[in-house]
Amino acid sequence: MNAIRKEFTVLAGFVGAAMALSGYIRHTIQDVWGWFNLSLLIVGGVLLLASVILNFKDIAGYFTGRTGKLSANMAILTIAVLGLIAIANYLGYRHHKRFDLTTEGLFSLSDQTKKVLKNLPKEVKVLKFDQQPDQRLADEMAEFGYVTNKISYEYVDPVKRPEIARQYAVKSYGETVVTAGDRTERPSATDEQAMVNAILKVTRDTLKTVCFTEGHEEKSLTEAYSAVESKLKAENYQTKTVNLAQQKEKFVPSECAVLVVAGPKTAFLQPETSMIGQYLDNGGKAMFLIDPDTDPQLNDVLKKWSIELGNDLVLDFSAAGQVFGPAAPIVNNYATHPITENFARGMTVFPQARSVKVLAGGSGVNSTTLLTGSPNSYGETDLKANVEPKYDEGKDTKGPVSVGAVASKNLGENKEARLVVIGDSDFASNQAFRVSRNGDLFMNSVNWLAQDEDLISIRPKLATNRSVTMNAEQQNTFWILVVIFMPLAALGAGAFVWWKRR
């Protein structure tokens, strides 16, 4: 009789534990207690407690025995390990550190994106309207969220939540909406660059205009500089061409946040030169890209900024300069300046450049050499066909030669005039824009001139093509090595071992 009662009380303990656990799990899933869950928890608890009380002597005896002590030690050790794992996870969640081990940092946001996100002036909401969640966009927005807490992302199924789709005037599946305040953008792509551009559009009040002079055979925005125009528009600048000689008002249009003179082949008229000088004197920002063997008649303007163009062609006879030929100098020595602060030892290439010299003694002007060539470069002033070029002391420009300079002038009342002068316009043409840091140099110069320093950085990176290309001879050699030589070597080694052991 006592044995039956004992088994019954033990069984009641197990049933009580199961009932109490079931009640708690049902509460966790349903998020409500309800009478049934409470009944399971209370009845189960009572049965478990009664079982413990009625079997207390046996339970105490178990834990004071050898088996009980070993089990208790194992239980304590298990709980300790689980506790350490929980603490490690908690610390990892609160103080996580992420690593991108790819060479190009493909899974990291660009420095430019980080700068934009860190300086967001207002809250931005990104919504994806589709039948299925966009995991890639969600991951990208999570990356954005690591940089700023002003970005929020939400996936919306227009069928299940039509009121939100109507609120944002969604017309088709797959639409992405970026909104801040009363401004909304619908980017057609969702890559990093497209999303940053959309964020800039909804958070900025106005778009700045970059004006390019025309009428002097400058680089065309629709031809040689089409890559420049695309990039400027991608970074939310408007572009415009201006013919200064045809301006009725006789001054550079006030809407020009930056004036670019890109490779003029003929001279500016005196009224045009005066307009540019006046524009800079009044706090304007300009970039002069002046090729060798041209005279745009801008020397008087440049002289006021303590900058002088050399009448030469920069030749680079260093090892690096032989990559594209001595007439295409490579620069990897930069001044400490916002335009080049992230360039490190990255290269910029200038297909045929003239020297740009900073003069001493400029009054009220802060002029600095920005781009300096290698010590083995010099400015050739008398390049002749079929004659080996060589440096002539006292005639040529001694290296290392500068091919770019920047200048600024503080005009008070938070107004500053800025000027960038580079002795080449081809470095930003379609053929060279994507070579090394050329594109970054042009875009960073525009960003600095437009006082958009938050955009100055390195653009998103592209994956390096690491495929191996072999010619027919190399393919045959590789086939013979892998398919014939290596198996024969293994067979030969086996045969040699067999011969030695037989």
Side-chain angles (χ1 to χ4, degrees), residues 25-45:
I25 292 175
R26 281 175 58 86
H27 156 69
T28 303
I29 295 173
Q30 298 172 350
D31 202 25
V32 291
W33 278 110
W35 68 269
F36 186 69
N37 294 338
L38 273 175
S39 298
L40 284 174
L41 188 67
I42 294 172
V43 174

Side-chain angles (χ1 to χ4, degrees), residues 282-321:
N282 291 330
K285 283 80 178 174
M287 177 158 56
F288 296 167
L289 309 177
I290 312 298
D291 293 318
D293 299 325
T294 61
D295 183 10
Q297 293 292 313
L298 293 172
N299 291 334
D300 290 341
V301 176
L302 292 173
K303 190 175 181 181
K304 294 175 64 176
W305 289 79
S306 301
I307 294 176
E308 181 181 80
L309 295 173
N311 292 317
D312 52 18
L313 176 68
V314 178
L315 300 178
D316 184 357
F317 288 95
S318 67

